[in-house]
Amino acid sequence: MKLRTFATAAASVAAVLAVSAAGLYLWVRPAELAPLAHVPAAGTATLVAAGARVVALGDCMVCHTAAHGPAYAGGRALDTPFGTIYSTNITPDPDTGIGRWSPEAFRRAMREGVARDGHLLYPAFPYIHYTRMSDTDIDLAYGYLMSRTPVRSEAPPNGLVFPLNFRPLLAFWNALYLHPGDAAIPARQDTPLARGRYLVDTLGHCASCHSGMTALGGERHPPFQGGNIDGWDAPALTRLNGGAAPWTQAELVDYLSGGLSAAHGAAKGPMRAVTERLAGVPREDVEAIAVYLMSIQSDAPAHAAAVAAPAVPATATATGTATATSGADADTRASRLFAGACAGCHAAPAPMMRSGGRPALARSSAVLGERPDNFILTVLHGIPVDGAAPVYMPPFADTLSDEQIALLAAYVRSGAGQPAWNAVAQHSAKLRKETHE
Ligand code: HEC
Ligand code: HEC
Ligand code: HEC
């Protein structure tokens, strides 16, 4: 098709979509709900503490707090394939926050993705999961947020591509992806399995990173087959017990509640904020999540090659002979690089490893995964000290080239008995550019 014909056709399709969305929106347009005259008084300390647990499990603070900004005051930029969306202020400030929102308005936002004044909210706010929250949990979250210090702060305008900056289009999206579901599910939380399912599916919205995205920005089905977020691979959650380093329930509890499993590694990238919040909730909640995760494992192993590979002793990464295809010279350069930059911490005799409780690199999904993304991003950006876990790794973006990162990748893959990844240097250059702060 000629470019101009194509542009005309695309413009007409966009126009038809916009007009019909506007029609649909006018037809089902949500009403504005009356503002409260006063910010509601905070509840008892017990209610506020119960609300803090809900809000931690729902990860509300992570998205609703800008870097170095006040908690819950919004303004954090969320990058989506469709442009940038800023989170809003959910402190009880009457003018710029939710101080005048009634409990009904808050409940409608959580269940239907509609703001108090009736405008549709973008699904970067994971209401497609919160929609199945119990009434009790929604009210507890409301009470907790209303007990916070009000902060005056307005989010910057969103930078979304046309026509997605036209909110009524979301009526279509909701028709496709918003499934309020069986309201009885949340009520059944009497066993660890049922509680875990509720926490994973609803509050924890784990699928929003671990399921992958459709072209329309919805979640792929079936869920938990693995996704990608901010350049990081979020591994499949249905294949945790397969592959070269299968997880046990107890290891999942350590990882989720402490940000570090001695058998697998540390939580990195976007997963770190999740484990930091889970560090503060009662252990029984994290145990319930682990019970549920164990119940959704498919029997198919992660990747056949990994299972066939010989078990790799903890020392292999540091001492194993690299057999990268590029030959003996590359092997020597790689092992020298590793000795100089990494062995001080990761080799078996390193103090960090000898003190115990540290995972061998060969057992991390960042090394065993099908793609090199998490290995590259860990080496480029390191692991910042910011959480409950005693974990710090320096960034190497300024000291290692993309070719050097590729050499190291081949070295640790071979130490773990895995075939080398392809095109690591090119991939590293791309991720370096995309994730440059
Ligand atoms: C993954 C990021 C993310 C998480 C997690 C998240 N939110 Fe949000 N939330 C957003 C974004 C982005 C918006 C703004 C959407 C828009 O402007 O269309 C928003 C909007 C809202 C709104 C509407 C506010 C307004 O002024 O219109 C409420 C209420 C809200 N969130 C509450 C919560 C609560 C409660 C939690 C935790 C249970 C939570 N959010 C977790 C990203 C998030
Ligand atoms: C100052 C110590 C230090 C140095 C130097 C260091 N790391 Fe790390 N690295 C860590 C810590 C701490 C972790 C988190 C795991 C843990 O606590 O054992 C980690 C984790 C990793 C992981 C992810 C494993 C996981 O936890 O899932 C990879 C991959 C990695 N390092 C690669 C490297 C490479 C390659 C180098 C050399 C370029 C290097 N590291 C240098 C301290 C270090
Ligand atoms: C904001 C995105 C995001 C959310 C939400 C999220 N995860 Fe993750 N998760 C990731 C990423 C990215 C990784 C890979 C990082 C790493 O290995 O350190 C990961 C890693 C994991 C791992 C380790 C898997 C492996 O093979 O190494 C587990 C287990 C996990 N997540 C469980 C959960 C659970 C349970 C929830 C919900 C309570 C959740 N995640 C919510 C992004 C997310």
Side-chain angles (χ1 to χ4, degrees), residues 54-55 58-60 63-64 78 85-90 97-98 101 106 109-110 115-116 119-122 124-126 130 133 141 145 158 167 203 205:
V54 173
V55 164
D59 244 346
C60 319
C63 287
H64 282 279
L78 303 173
I85 299 177
Y86 290 91
S87 63
T88 47
N89 181 349
I90 54 170
I98 59 168
W101 286 41
F106 184 78
M110 301 304 283
R116 188 192 62 74
H119 75 258
L120 302 186
L121 294 163
Y122 287 109
F125 167 39
Y130 300 147
M133 277 170 76
L145 292 171
N158 295 329
R167 288 187 186 259
L203 271 174
H205 61 279

Side-chain angles (χ1 to χ4, degrees), residues 10-368:
S12 342
V13 171
V16 168
L17 272 180
V19 167
S20 40
L24 182 65
Y25 177 71
L26 284 176
W27 181 48
V28 293
R29 177 158 73 179
E32 169 166 2
L33 298 182
L36 297 177
H38 303 286
V39 177
T44 64
T46 321
L47 280 178
V48 170
R53 174 176 177 181
V54 173
V55 164
L57 286 163
D59 244 346
C60 319
M61 195 170 96
V62 181
C63 287
H64 282 279
T65 307
H68 315 295
Y72 303 108
R76 171 165 167 184
L78 303 173
D79 292 321
T80 75
F82 315 103
T84 307
I85 299 177
Y86 290 91
S87 63
T88 47
N89 181 349
I90 54 170
T91 71
D93 180 64
D95 302 320
T96 62
I98 59 168
R100 288 188 200 277
W101 286 41
S102 61
E104 294 70 40
F106 184 78
R107 214 174 285 158
R108 185 175 70 171
M110 301 304 283
R111 290 218 191 283
E112 297 167 40
V114 178
R116 188 192 62 74
D117 68 3
H119 75 258
L120 302 186
L121 294 163
Y122 287 109
F125 167 39
Y127 58 86
I128 60 164
H129 294 282
Y130 300 147
T131 189
R132 289 184 293 276
M133 277 170 76
S134 67
D135 284 338
T136 315
D137 279 358
I138 294 185
D139 291 347
L140 285 171
Y142 177 81
Y144 176 80
L145 292 171
M146 288 301 174
S147 76
R148 300 296 87 195
T149 313
V151 179
R152 220 188 143 74
S153 169
E154 216 145 353
N158 295 329
L160 287 166
V161 295
F162 177 80
L164 297 171
N165 48 6
F166 184 61
R167 288 187 186 259
L169 271 185
L170 290 167
F172 279 132
W173 195 93
N174 286 339
L176 287 175
Y177 294 110
L178 176 61
H179 309 297
D182 179 0
I185 291 174
R188 293 198 305 260
Q189 292 184 42
D190 42 354
T191 62
L193 183 67
R195 172 80 177 153
R197 176 179 171 192
Y198 172 71
L199 294 179
V200 165
D201 177 43
T202 300
L203 271 174
H205 61 279
C206 315
S208 63
C209 294
H210 284 278
S211 288
M213 219 183 235
T214 66
L216 292 177
E219 281 168 19
R220 279 189 201 287
H221 269 274
F224 308 125
Q225 301 303 309
N228 190 278
I229 172 90
D230 295 342
W232 291 81
D233 270 328
L237 294 181
T238 47
R239 297 194 292 268
L240 294 169
N241 68 353
W247 291 74
T248 65
Q249 191 171 306
E251 289 162 1
L252 282 170
V253 173
D254 282 350
Y255 175 87
L256 292 170
S257 63
L260 178 67
S261 155
H264 298 274
K268 304 173 294 297
M271 188 60 198
R272 245 175 113 64
V274 176
T275 58
E276 272 163 33
R277 297 282 84 71
L278 290 179
V281 305
R283 201 169 170 86
E284 72 215 44
D285 282 345
V286 181
E287 278 165 358
I289 291 175
V291 166
Y292 177 66
L293 289 182
M294 291 316 273
S295 81
I296 59 169
Q297 297 309 306
S298 70
D299 292 319
H303 25 89
V307 179
V312 180
T315 52
T317 313
T319 56
T321 40
T323 50
T325 44
S326 35
D329 178 43
D331 293 352
T332 322
R333 279 166 57 219
S335 69
R336 281 213 193 111
L337 255 182
F338 190 87
C342 323
C345 293
H346 287 295
M352 177 176 116
M353 301 305 290
R354 269 210 321 260
S355 63
R358 313 307 293 214
L361 282 185
R363 293 193 49 94
S364 166
S365 62
V367 172
L368 295 171

Side-chain angles (χ1 to χ4, degrees), residues 385-424:
V385 232
D386 56 6
V391 168
Y392 168 74
M393 170 164 151
F396 288 91
D398 294 339
T399 43
L400 292 177
S401 68
D402 299 316
E403 286 69 31
Q404 288 173 317
I405 291 178
L407 276 176
L408 287 168
Y411 182 75
V412 299
R413 283 284 284 181
S414 127
Q418 301 291 319
W421 290 306
N422 289 326
V424 177

